[in-house]
Amino acid sequence: MLLSQLSAAASPLTQEQVQKLQGLVAELNPIQQAWVSGYLAANANTAALSGTVGQPAVPAGDAAPLTILYGSQTGNAKGVANQLKEQAESRGLTVKLISMSDYKTSALKKEKFLVVAVSTYGEGEPPEDAESLYEFIAGKKAPKLDGTQVAVIGLGDSSYEFFCQTAIDFEERLVKLGAEIAYPRADLDVDYEDEAQAWITGALDVFEPQLKAQQSAGANVVSMPFGAPVAAASQYTKQNPFAAELSIVQKITGRDSSKDVRHVEISLEGSDITYTPGDSLGVYFLNDEEQVEAVLAALNITADEQVILGKETLDIRTALIEKLELTQSYPSFVEKYGQAANNAQLLALVEDKAAMREYIEARQVFDIILQNPANITAQALADSCRKLQARLYSIASSQAEVEEEVHLTVGLVEFEAFGEQHFGGCSGYLAQRAEEGVSVKVFSEHNDNFRLPSDDATPVIMVGPGTGIAPFRAFLQERDAREAQGENWLFFGNPNFTQDFLYQVELQGYVKSGLLTHIDLAFSRDQAEKIYVQDRLREKGAAVFAWLEKGAHFYVCGDANRMAKDVHQALVDIVKAHGGKDDEQAELYLKELRSANRYQKDVY
């Protein structure tokens, strides 16, 4: 069988694994392909004979493993789950690590030791890969879990209202089914690394005696008989980013556009960073020096005063520019700064969540400081702030096309407040302060929930208004490089054709070459009645449904709160109108598409 003919039913590999294998094979000559084939065959035979290569032991009989289920939108929860797995195995424990999207719900009733690592995004919603399990454990078919020991760790962002809501929901629902809490839930903010490590240690201390006792009683263990070598992960991570050169920052909206969008190119030369279309790039940035000077002046703190951040000692000015968050505000800053400044008004907000939400939504961190000056120490200021977090951007390029580069499509966040122009932390840095040639710290963040189909003959529909075009530029580059035969249909929208048609020349080139089978455009301000991508979808509803019926994959990238919901409703209407279904049946149709990884979203 040719690799291009592999299907999910015929192959033991995941879609992403098939895609990676296809990419590798395409780069090899016949001699290299023969060598790799022989190597894999020999390695698999060795594994089958020895029962020890590459895979953790799976217990026989009644011995249950520690099952770790993760639901991850950007990769953080997956990273924590992997840490837990590694540390559990280092203690000699048997572990089963599974994405919630791959987990068979029929296995839930058999679990004895269960850890859930899950993130929350949007308005308290579960990540894409957790949706099915999240709904299952709230439904009538969920099994009784009497005797199951469970521990939940949640990741979120306290600047959002429904902080770690998904983790809270998972724990409540599992307990309602009869599970016992083995270790208290942790709700972790964006600066989560140290607390996650402490939680992992504490949870394993609880699970280890029980697991070892029952595994010893369970007699022999056997190992999985397949052990293909695993590619080494990059040495550059969120904790250890790569210092890359910022090659190009180019404005790609017109002079009279209401938006300022930049095409950014970053060199990865000298790194081992790889990425797949659908992945994101994490970018660390520097805070505005003028804002830092204003903060120090307002608090009467000298720039060279030393502070301690973790295990590092440095001057407060450098800490504020390079290490601490000064733009995105969050409740814990208001509380800590209010306590340090002994500010009764700020502390009153801590007791009123609605008032707190309204207060921080209108202000960046430096606004809060400048509007509430106080005599506090440099260390108190540093302790009030959380670590500066990298911003994640959908990658707008394929390495098959750009090789040792990575491209981004960055919309400048800007707004007027309190008589001053405000800018987003990272977008303001990239668009206005960073000069081409400077070093920026970056890392790749894999997104297994947003992938091209492994079969190059599969048609794809892409909906990406505004900067949501980014991953679809990568998709098109990848499909072009692979000479994929599948049809491609793009829906793109923005305010004005003359000002906001991002990557117009490239997209028109793809139409001319035949790579883009269809492109439908929605420029909302070019006529009296506003037209959006969801309107174009409805206009082409019959054809869209026909594509879905013939196996097309459907992708959405962009705003989560409005656009993605409007597109979803448009899809429901399309399935009802052209598939002869009611509301419930249409939702079930789309749910089945999601379960088959044929309806994927990268929304923010």
Side-chain angles (χ1 to χ4, degrees), residues 500-513:
D500 306 302
F501 195 165
L502 307 183
Y503 302 114
Q504 178 181 356
V505 174
E506 290 181 29
L507 294 175
Q508 288 175 333
Y510 286 141
V511 171
K512 187 175 181 180
S513 72

Side-chain angles (χ1 to χ4, degrees), residues 8 28 84 99 118 127-128 157 205 227 234 236 294 387 396 459 463 511 560:
L28 303 179
L84 178 61
S99 166
V118 67
E128 289 284 301
D157 184 339
D205 285 345
S234 172
Y236 298 108
K387 290 180 185 176
V463 182
V511 171

